Amino acid sequence: MTKQFDAIIIGAGIIGTSIAYELAKKGYKTLNVDKNPAVGYGSTSSSCAIIRTYYSTADASALAYEGWHYWSNWRDYIGDDLESQLISYRDTGSLLYKTEGNRMLANVPPIMDAIGCPYQHMDAAQVKQRLPIIDMHRYEPVKHVEDDGFAEPTGPEIYGAIYFPKSGYVNDPQLATQNVKEAAMRHGAEFIFNATVAEISQSNGRASGVVLADGQAISAGIVVNVAGPHSGKVNALAGIGGNTTIKTRPMRQEVASLKAPDGYDYEKDGPICADDDVGTYSRPESGNHMLIGTVQPPCDELDWIDDADEFDGNISEQIMTQIMRQAQRYSGLQIPSSVNGIVALYDVSDDWNPIYDKSDLPGFYMAIGTSGNQFKNAPLAAKIMATIIEKCESGIDHDKDPGEFHLENINWTLPLKTFSRNRQINADSSFSVLG
Ligand SMILES: Cc1cc2nc3c(=O)[nH]c(=O)nc-3n(C[C@H](O)[C@H](O)[C@H](O)COP(=O)(O)OP(=O)(O)OC[C@H]3O[C@@H](n4cnc5c(N)ncnc54)[C@H](O)[C@@H]3O)c2cc1C
């Protein structure tokens, strides 16, 4: 017998699970289907879960600043009678370094002023005060380790930074997803795992459900693609691959984890850093460790992947490149002989901003292209998707009338065309994980 739901959500990462929570609260009977064994096992499990508010546009920054309010008040959003322990969110503050390449961050203060997000300009001495273990030299442009001039300063001092006090990280992104799952289940949401969607069923020109790899058919008038790096493959199942102006593609990433320099409690006192001068981002991790990722400096080739099911999961020399770049900033960083880290995929859109939209197939929706930077926005991505789905299902043409979404905590109204699959590429984008 065919099971019947209002909405099938393909994927149970942080965004797919949050969409279940928001739809279930509105009374939809939802089912998340995930090929992994539990929630948050896809790219969410590898997330650095950094919550920061600077993006290339006011709307993207506003969304992130609104998102900060959810992580800071997680118990209010999720409730407190869950079986799982609640995640903890820590405001560490974050430093965004000024460089010639990022035009001294001239675009950032007007955006932060517009959205009412606090920040502070710091000169080099103030940065040193905030983070006493840093090497103050300037190194831009970012280089490869084997390039002439690597680790040779190009200036005596960094230009300074912008400091954002309302910024930090979530201790466990998978646990965050488990929290949301339990909250969603209290509203009737259902989940199945170890179940791969192999077909998107259609009838009368609409999505009408899914067929799993084991042949089981499940019906629903609404199907939502939240498949992370598999988003392109799932769109192809729906027959809409290539129908959008903005495309998404998987990109391989490595994040290193290593001990912070001795003599400094980086876990307790260290801020998040986005350092265009050496091409890395970093955050504190338990055990006085430091997580080190890359901000896609222009000298690096991007590691695009053709098929999200086939990529090299082994650490490569890229991870050592990131560590060596970071070591320019921290002379006390000890380079280990064997490196710990993770290899994962981003689902990158053409302008590194997400698609939260309907599709050309009625009843089929997409929350994709999260480009390594949408963990922080999951609660809002879910609210936006629930709004779009409700609107479209009531007969409104979302393409003609995309409408707006109000961010209550910061009193900012967001035009939903920002997330359209057919928008113009955001030319202001950093075209990196910074969005
Ligand atoms: C290394 C790394 C670091 C990151 N750091 C940050 C950060 O610091 N801050 C931030 O805001 N964001 C960060 N991100 C981005 C953030 O983690 C993602 O945007 C977010 O987790 C995406 O969630 P999701 O639910 O859309 O996708 P996912 O978590 O990838 O979930 C998609 C799910 O779909 C399932 N699926 C796919 N195809 C099928 C199918 N055919 N049938 C059934 N199931 C299917 C998969 O099994 C998977 O579980 C980072 C990402 C990575 C990889």
Side-chain angles (χ1 to χ4, degrees), residues 10-16 33-36 41-44 46-50 195-197 226-230 234 253 255 281 342 344-346 367 370 372-376:
I10 304 172
I14 188 67
I15 298 180
V33 181
D34 202 298
K35 61 192 173 105
N36 277 326
Y41 265 55
S43 63
T44 296
S46 305
S47 185
C48 293
I50 291 170
T196 301
V197 171
V226 203
H230 290 79
V234 170
Q253 292 296 311
V255 177
Y281 72 82
I342 54 105
L345 297 179
Y346 290 165
T370 61
N373 61 46
Q374 292 292 303
F375 176 88
K376 64 182 74 55

Side-chain angles (χ1 to χ4, degrees), residues 320-381:
M320 194 48 95
T321 301
Q322 288 166 205
I323 291 173
M324 296 298 278
R325 284 175 178 158
Q326 183 81 341
Q328 297 171 109
R329 188 61 72 226
Y330 301 97
S331 51
L333 201 63
Q334 292 181 19
I335 314 290
S337 51
S338 81
V339 180
N340 282 328
I342 54 105
V343 179
L345 297 179
Y346 290 165
D347 179 36
V348 177
S349 79
D350 290 338
D351 59 8
W352 294 76
N353 288 294
I355 296 171
Y356 299 137
D357 201 0
K358 71 190 272 281
S359 74
D360 288 357
L361 174 66
F364 186 78
Y365 298 85
M366 303 181 284
I368 63 174
T370 61
S371 305
N373 61 46
Q374 292 292 303
F375 176 88
K376 64 182 74 55
N377 291 336
L380 289 150

Side-chain angles (χ1 to χ4, degrees), residues 1-5 8 29 31 201 208-212 215-221:
M1 217 169 78
T2 308
K3 284 190 185 166
Q4 177 72 47
F5 289 86
I8 292 171
K29 190 169 163 44
L31 175 73
S201 322
S208 59
V210 300
V211 180
L212 305 184
Q216 190 190 352
I218 313 175
S219 330

Side-chain angles (χ1 to χ4, degrees), residues 275-301:
D275 190 342
D276 281 342
D277 186 61
V278 298
T280 62
Y281 72 82
S282 51
R283 77 143 164 95
E285 173 64 326
S286 56
N288 205 28
H289 273 58
M290 185 182 269
L291 298 184
I292 306 167
T294 175
V295 291
Q296 290 78 42
C299 63
D300 282 7
E301 249 179 61

Side-chain angles (χ1 to χ4, degrees), residues 231-297:
S231 68
K233 290 185 100 166
V234 170
N235 275 352
L237 294 180
I240 57 158
N243 285 9
T244 55
T245 305
I246 302 287
K247 309 280 190 282
T248 62
R249 274 166 86 188
M251 183 188 288
R252 196 174 162 284
Q253 292 296 311
E254 300 186 21
V255 177
S257 170
L258 76 164
K259 251 185 110 353
D262 285 341
Y264 180 70
D265 194 341
Y266 183 74
E267 184 178 349
K268 181 168 143 284
D269 300 326
I272 309 279
C273 294
D275 190 342
D276 281 342
D277 186 61
V278 298
T280 62
Y281 72 82
S282 51
R283 77 143 164 95
E285 173 64 326
S286 56
N288 205 28
H289 273 58
M290 185 182 269
L291 298 184
I292 306 167
T294 175
V295 291
Q296 290 78 42

Side-chain angles (χ1 to χ4, degrees), residues 95 97 124 127-128 131-136 158 273 329-331:
L95 283 167
Y97 288 84
V127 173
K128 180 88 181 165
L131 185 52
I133 54 169
I134 70 161
D135 176 320
M136 302 284 282
I158 52 166
C273 294
R329 188 61 72 226
Y330 301 97
S331 51

